[in-house]
Amino acid sequence: MTPTLSVRNLRVEIPTRRGVLTAIDDLSFDIAPGEVLGVVGESGAGKSITGTAIIGLLEPPARIAGGEIRLAGERIDDLSADAMRRVRGRRIGMIFQDPLTSLNPLYRIGEQLAETILTHERLSQRAATDKARRLLEEVGIPAAGDRLSSYPHQFSGGMRQRVVIALALAADPELVVADEPTTALDVSVQAQIITLLKRLCAERGASVMLITHDMGVIAETADRVCVLYAGRLAEIGPVRDVVKRPQHPYTHGLMAAIPTLHGDPDETLRQIPGAMPRLDAIPPGCPFNPRCDFAYGRCGSERPEPLDAGKSRAACFLHDADAAEAPPADTVRAARAVGLEVPQKVAEAAR
Amino acid sequence: MLAFALRRLVQAIGVMLVVSLISFVLFRFVGDPVNQLVGVDTSPEERAALREALGLNDPVLVQFARFIGKAVQFDFGISYQFKQSVAGLIGQRLPATLELSFVSALFALLVGVPMGVYTGLYRDTWLARAFLAVSLIGVSLPTFLIGILLIFVVSVNLGWLPSFGRGETVRVFGSWTTGLVTASGLQSLILPSITLGLFQMTLIMRLVRGEMLEVLRTDYIKFARARGLSRRAINFGHALKNTLVPVITITGLQIGSIIAFAIITETVFQWPGMGLLFLQAVQSVDIPIMAAYLLLIAFLFVLINFLVDLLYVAVDPRIRIGEATR
């Protein structure tokens, strides 16, 4: 089956005065029809840039410098500005982080909805207003008919995010890119919004690319998860596997850093030493190697490609069964001890 | 909404009272009015009689009350210089100044806003850069210099447009004369309007540009793009409307200044408006005209600010609701 979204070797560059920064490097992933793909990573890992690149709204001077993006098999990264405008909203919907600033304060909710509907469908003004009302009802806004004439500031943050969802889904897109849709919201409202988004997309058969740094949201919502580190893919796989048995040392560190309720309360919180490199200082080889407990010789010079690792794929040489240079035996033992599925062949070759 | 308007009205009356006080003090205490009225050979008895007849011996408060009472009826006394009623003199000159101010404000808006939008949207094109460079000239050159330059180039060298006066005017009703309906009247308007409006135009252009750049970076513009709206709908519907509140404020304030500072332009172009009248009044210490002019300009400022406040409410719903729920 053709994936709804297929990203191949995507490369996003930001030319600056001091040289070209590579914000996204050689990133590939697919999203199947109806699937929810979670995209996680630290701030600055390139999650949002990936989302905006897909919908064609990269802020200049950032630009797509390589690779391709296909929507239902059809290439969209090289479309003309006008053709891409017709894809936005109609075939790809996008939801931004802050519902308080996503809506134009000077227009009524109904006007903004009808405007979006009329941009994508040939309807009468009246039919558009009808559809706007139905959409508001669907996203769970009480007395939807009356609220059409309300202004954004008359809604609470959660309600505004519901309106934003209604706007993003107004033209029944095949893919919804949700960029941290709940980060700006009250914790009590977050779950409602995520549930709503997931239900509405499931009803419409839309795929979702859910960008967040909240692993809880990912664990509950996503089918698969993609972990980014410094603009590179670290690991991608089914959500259960990535959360329970992470295969990349970075993902493992990320998961270990999440405190649990049943843990020993006196235990110090685990953390990954150091910080993610800035875009102008990405180390050669594996970008994670200076912070990695398991790094060895080739990690500092060669760039790992995503490799099969358990049910996931991880960009780490510990999973490279055909490697000429094997990792030290200690490293293999330590990696296996924390659950990394180092292939037998690698373990045997280890000195 | 009504409460809002009423509150503003009370504030406006307060401002007007303070200005009348200043105007009254000017009238009463800058020099001796009696000295201005009589000749050198008037006897002290006659002076005393005139002083009594003018009510200048009454308590100050009574005099102030009388001044306000008369000002409300547009009675500002007799001009020392012209021996005519000040209200009549101003009435004759007001249309010229208002027409000039109105046309230059219109010029500033109709040219300034589109230029601002253009330079905001396409800020790296050479045309946008050229607009910005020109605007720098408009901001930095003094009005009289622009006026004289225009006269020199357009009137003297090219001979296209008249260099002074109002041209042919037509009496519309009462004492209102207009130059807007005759060819020579319109021709005479062009240079003074450009001179008076150039600074405001560049100001508005820079303001709109700055606001556009700011608004275009906001999330709701990004979201509007993500919804696939057309460029036109985004730029002129969503972005421009959000730049309007500051533009209305500045334009409102500037219309006041245009009227008040028409003095220089009117002098350069010998435009028979209030500014020229005021200047003549200053030269011959004609206090009644100065006092009346002060009051009138203050009144126009207050009126324009009041209208601007009402306009805000029309443009930005948040202001409306903020007032209602407070």
Side-chain angles (χ1 to χ4, degrees), chain B residues 89-112:
Chain B
L89 280 171
I90 288 187
Q92 286 168 19
R93 303 295 195 100
L94 189 64
T97 298
L98 286 188
E99 272 177 17
L100 173 62
S101 308
F102 176 71
V103 172
S104 37
L106 213 62
F107 157 73
L109 273 179
L110 292 185
V111 180

Short mmCIF file of all heavy atoms in Angstrom, two decimals, chain B residues 89-112:
data_model
loop_
_atom_site.label_atom_id
_atom_site.label_comp_id
_atom_site.label_asym_id
_atom_site.label_seq_id
_atom_site.Cartn_x
_atom_site.Cartn_y
_atom_site.Cartn_z
N LEU B 89 -13.60 86.16 10.99
CA LEU B 89 -12.30 86.03 10.31
C LEU B 89 -11.90 84.57 10.18
O LEU B 89 -11.50 84.10 9.11
CB LEU B 89 -11.23 86.78 11.11
CG LEU B 89 -11.17 88.29 10.93
CD1 LEU B 89 -10.21 88.89 11.95
CD2 LEU B 89 -10.72 88.61 9.51
N ILE B 90 -12.04 83.86 11.30
CA ILE B 90 -11.66 82.44 11.27
C ILE B 90 -12.59 81.67 10.36
O ILE B 90 -12.17 80.80 9.59
CB ILE B 90 -11.64 81.87 12.70
CG1 ILE B 90 -10.43 82.44 13.43
CG2 ILE B 90 -11.61 80.35 12.68
CD1 ILE B 90 -10.17 81.86 14.78
N GLY B 91 -13.86 82.02 10.40
CA GLY B 91 -14.84 81.35 9.55
C GLY B 91 -14.46 81.47 8.08
O GLY B 91 -14.62 80.52 7.31
N GLN B 92 -13.94 82.65 7.70
CA GLN B 92 -13.54 82.81 6.30
C GLN B 92 -12.33 81.96 5.95
O GLN B 92 -12.20 81.48 4.83
CB GLN B 92 -13.16 84.28 6.04
CG GLN B 92 -14.32 85.21 5.97
CD GLN B 92 -13.82 86.66 6.01
OE1 GLN B 92 -12.66 86.93 5.73
NE2 GLN B 92 -14.72 87.58 6.34
N ARG B 93 -11.43 81.79 6.93
CA ARG B 93 -10.16 81.11 6.65
C ARG B 93 -10.21 79.61 6.86
O ARG B 93 -9.43 78.87 6.29
CB ARG B 93 -9.06 81.67 7.57
CG ARG B 93 -8.87 83.15 7.46
CD ARG B 93 -8.37 83.52 6.08
NE ARG B 93 -7.85 84.88 6.04
CZ ARG B 93 -6.55 85.16 6.09
NH1 ARG B 93 -5.68 84.19 6.18
NH2 ARG B 93 -6.14 86.40 6.04
N LEU B 94 -11.14 79.18 7.73
CA LEU B 94 -11.21 77.76 8.10
C LEU B 94 -11.32 76.83 6.90
O LEU B 94 -10.59 75.83 6.81
CB LEU B 94 -12.37 77.54 9.08
CG LEU B 94 -12.46 76.17 9.73
CD1 LEU B 94 -11.25 75.94 10.62
CD2 LEU B 94 -13.74 76.05 10.56
N PRO B 95 -12.23 77.12 5.94
CA PRO B 95 -12.38 76.17 4.83
C PRO B 95 -11.06 75.92 4.09
O PRO B 95 -10.75 74.78 3.76
CB PRO B 95 -13.38 76.86 3.91
CG PRO B 95 -14.14 77.78 4.78
CD PRO B 95 -13.17 78.24 5.83
N ALA B 96 -10.28 76.98 3.90
CA ALA B 96 -9.03 76.82 3.15
C ALA B 96 -8.12 75.83 3.89
O ALA B 96 -7.57 74.90 3.28
CB ALA B 96 -8.34 78.17 3.00
N THR B 97 -7.97 76.02 5.19
CA THR B 97 -7.08 75.15 5.95
C THR B 97 -7.61 73.72 6.00
O THR B 97 -6.87 72.75 5.82
CB THR B 97 -6.91 75.69 7.38
OG1 THR B 97 -6.31 76.97 7.31
CG2 THR B 97 -6.06 74.77 8.21
N LEU B 98 -8.93 73.59 6.24
CA LEU B 98 -9.49 72.24 6.35
C LEU B 98 -9.37 71.49 5.04
O LEU B 98 -9.03 70.31 5.01
CB LEU B 98 -10.95 72.30 6.80
CG LEU B 98 -11.16 72.66 8.28
CD1 LEU B 98 -12.62 72.51 8.67
CD2 LEU B 98 -10.28 71.80 9.18
N GLU B 99 -9.63 72.17 3.93
CA GLU B 99 -9.51 71.50 2.64
C GLU B 99 -8.08 71.06 2.38
O GLU B 99 -7.83 69.92 1.97
CB GLU B 99 -9.98 72.43 1.51
CG GLU B 99 -11.47 72.30 1.26
CD GLU B 99 -11.96 73.27 0.21
OE1 GLU B 99 -11.14 73.81 -0.56
OE2 GLU B 99 -13.19 73.46 0.15
N LEU B 100 -7.15 71.96 2.67
CA LEU B 100 -5.73 71.63 2.46
C LEU B 100 -5.35 70.43 3.34
O LEU B 100 -4.73 69.47 2.87
CB LEU B 100 -4.87 72.85 2.80
CG LEU B 100 -3.36 72.62 2.80
CD1 LEU B 100 -2.89 72.20 1.42
CD2 LEU B 100 -2.63 73.88 3.25
N SER B 101 -5.75 70.47 4.61
CA SER B 101 -5.38 69.40 5.54
C SER B 101 -6.01 68.08 5.11
O SER B 101 -5.37 67.03 5.13
CB SER B 101 -5.86 69.74 6.94
OG SER B 101 -5.42 71.00 7.32
N PHE B 102 -7.27 68.15 4.72
CA PHE B 102 -7.98 66.94 4.33
C PHE B 102 -7.32 66.30 3.11
O PHE B 102 -7.05 65.09 3.10
CB PHE B 102 -9.44 67.31 4.03
CG PHE B 102 -10.26 66.17 3.53
CD1 PHE B 102 -10.63 65.13 4.38
CD2 PHE B 102 -10.65 66.11 2.20
CE1 PHE B 102 -11.37 64.08 3.91
CE2 PHE B 102 -11.40 65.05 1.72
CZ PHE B 102 -11.76 64.03 2.58
N VAL B 103 -7.02 67.12 2.12
CA VAL B 103 -6.42 66.57 0.91
C VAL B 103 -5.03 66.01 1.21
O VAL B 103 -4.67 64.94 0.71
CB VAL B 103 -6.36 67.63 -0.21
CG1 VAL B 103 -5.56 67.12 -1.39
CG2 VAL B 103 -7.76 67.98 -0.66
N SER B 104 -4.25 66.70 2.07
CA SER B 104 -2.91 66.15 2.31
C SER B 104 -2.98 64.88 3.17
O SER B 104 -2.18 63.96 2.98
CB SER B 104 -1.96 67.17 2.92
OG SER B 104 -2.61 67.99 3.80
N ALA B 105 -3.96 64.80 4.09
CA ALA B 105 -4.11 63.57 4.87
C ALA B 105 -4.50 62.42 3.95
O ALA B 105 -3.99 61.30 4.07
CB ALA B 105 -5.17 63.76 5.95
N LEU B 106 -5.39 62.73 3.02
CA LEU B 106 -5.83 61.72 2.06
C LEU B 106 -4.65 61.23 1.22
O LEU B 106 -4.44 60.03 1.02
CB LEU B 106 -6.89 62.34 1.14
CG LEU B 106 -7.98 61.39 0.65
CD1 LEU B 106 -8.76 60.86 1.82
CD2 LEU B 106 -8.91 62.14 -0.30
N PHE B 107 -3.85 62.19 0.77
CA PHE B 107 -2.65 61.87 0.00
C PHE B 107 -1.72 60.99 0.83
O PHE B 107 -1.23 59.95 0.36
CB PHE B 107 -1.97 63.17 -0.41
CG PHE B 107 -0.50 63.04 -0.73
CD1 PHE B 107 -0.08 62.44 -1.90
CD2 PHE B 107 0.46 63.52 0.16
CE1 PHE B 107 1.27 62.33 -2.19
CE2 PHE B 107 1.81 63.40 -0.11
CZ PHE B 107 2.22 62.80 -1.28
N ALA B 108 -1.51 61.37 2.10
CA ALA B 108 -0.60 60.61 2.97
C ALA B 108 -1.09 59.17 3.14
O ALA B 108 -0.31 58.22 3.06
CB ALA B 108 -0.48 61.30 4.32
N LEU B 109 -2.41 59.01 3.32
CA LEU B 109 -2.96 57.67 3.54
C LEU B 109 -2.94 56.85 2.26
O LEU B 109 -2.48 55.70 2.25
CB LEU B 109 -4.39 57.77 4.03
CG LEU B 109 -4.58 57.90 5.54
CD1 LEU B 109 -6.06 58.01 5.86
CD2 LEU B 109 -3.98 56.70 6.25
N LEU B 110 -3.47 57.44 1.17
CA LEU B 110 -3.63 56.67 -0.07
C LEU B 110 -2.29 56.28 -0.67
O LEU B 110 -2.19 55.27 -1.37
CB LEU B 110 -4.45 57.47 -1.08
CG LEU B 110 -5.92 57.65 -0.68
CD1 LEU B 110 -6.70 58.33 -1.79
CD2 LEU B 110 -6.55 56.30 -0.36
N VAL B 111 -1.27 57.07 -0.43
CA VAL B 111 0.04 56.71 -0.95
C VAL B 111 0.84 55.95 0.10
O VAL B 111 1.52 54.97 -0.20
CB VAL B 111 0.81 57.97 -1.42
CG1 VAL B 111 2.17 57.59 -1.96
CG2 VAL B 111 0.01 58.70 -2.48
N GLY B 112 0.74 56.40 1.35
CA GLY B 112 1.56 55.81 2.41
C GLY B 112 1.21 54.36 2.73
O GLY B 112 2.11 53.53 2.86
#
